[in-house]
């Protein structure tokens, strides 16, 4: 069982947690309680914001974080559709000389060996894509007029 997060029902949850354990817990909570959710996968070490897209977690490619989540879901038999924002761009890696200066090569944790690097635009673009998904999903049955014609 899960604790109740809020007294009132939620319309939607955008998961942008960086910690895998929290991300999995939040998604499982939403699935168990029929709360619509979209999860943002890895946006660090990306350079091209045009490579982000939305798909079910089971259909993601390239993204290391999505792979970890898929593997954990399969192991724990988590069922349900989970739309995610992910990038089809392969993550960049720092030059060896920088890793020696900023990384902790003796660490057992990959993130400490190769710290994630984020630019200002990719994580924010991923969040805006998730927000747009929520917006369009919640308003899908409302006629919105445009200059040209109703959509």
């Amino acid at each position: 069982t899960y604790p109740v997060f809020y007294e009132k029902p939620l319309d939607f949850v955008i998961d942008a947690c960086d910690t895998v354990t929290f991300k999995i817990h939040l998604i499982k909570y939403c699935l168990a309680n029929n709360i619509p959710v979209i999860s943002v996968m890895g946006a660090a070490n990306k350079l091209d914001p045009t490579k982000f897209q939305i798909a079910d977690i089971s259909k993601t490619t390239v993204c290391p974080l999505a792979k970890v989540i898929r593997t954990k879901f399969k192991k724990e038999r988590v069922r349900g559709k989970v739309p995610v924002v992910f990038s089809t761009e392969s993550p960049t890696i720092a030059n060896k000389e920088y890793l020696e200066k900023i990384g902790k090569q003796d660490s057992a944790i990959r993130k400490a060996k190769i710290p994630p690097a984020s630019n200002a635009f990719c994580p924010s673009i991923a969040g805006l894509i998730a927000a747009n998904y929520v917006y369009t999903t919640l308003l899908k049955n409302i006629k919105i007029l445009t200059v040209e014609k109703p959509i």
Side-chain angles (χ1 to χ4, degrees), residues 110-146:
R110 183 188 63 81
K111 275 189 175 181
K113 289 181 185 178
I114 307 172
S118 292
N119 56 49
F121 46 88
C122 282
S124 57
I125 292 293
L128 290 170
I129 291 169
N132 177 259
Y133 179 86
V134 171
Y135 178 80
T136 56
T137 300
L138 291 176
L139 298 179
K140 70 181 173 194
N141 295 322
I142 297 174
K143 184 186 282 186
I144 297 174
L145 301 175
T146 64

Side-chain angles (χ1 to χ4, degrees), residues 4 8 17 21 30 32 39 45 50 70 93 98 113 121 126 130 133 148:
V4 175
K8 298 182 181 197
C17 299
T21 306
C30 290
S39 182
N45 300 327
T50 67
R70 281 195 320 270
I93 0 177
Y98 295 114
K113 289 181 185 178
F121 46 88
Y133 179 86
E148 296 295 320

Side-chain angles (χ1 to χ4, degrees), residues 13-129:
V13 168
I14 296 176
D15 158 44
C17 299
D18 283 336
T19 306
V20 173
T21 306
F22 296 155
K23 185 174 282 296
I24 289 172
H25 181 76
L26 182 58
I27 295 169
K28 285 169 57 175
Y29 178 87
C30 290
L31 289 172
N33 290 283
N34 296 314
I35 300 169
V37 61
I38 185 165
S39 182
V40 179
M41 296 290 112
N45 300 327
K46 308 291 185 192
L47 298 174
D48 187 351
T50 67
K51 300 285 185 177
F52 285 102
Q53 56 185 264
I54 297 173
D56 184 75
I57 185 95
S58 66
K59 306 288 187 210
T60 57
T61 58
V62 182
C63 179
L65 180 56
K67 183 178 181 179
V68 169
I69 303 293
R70 281 195 320 270
T71 302
K72 295 233 184 222
F73 278 2
K74 188 174 184 179
K75 193 176 191 178
E76 296 179 21
R77 292 192 164 98
V78 175
R79 302 280 181 246
K81 299 283 184 191
V82 180
V84 298
V85 178
F86 74 103
S87 177
T88 58
E89 178 184 13
S90 187
T92 60
I93 0 177
N95 292 338
K96 186 178 179 183
E97 63 185 274
Y98 295 114
L99 290 177
E100 290 169 356
K101 290 179 185 176
I102 61 171
K104 296 178 184 169
Q105 298 307 307
D106 59 341
S107 176
I109 301 168
R110 183 188 63 81
K111 275 189 175 181
K113 289 181 185 178
I114 307 172
S118 292
N119 56 49
F121 46 88
C122 282
S124 57
I125 292 293
L128 290 170
I129 291 169

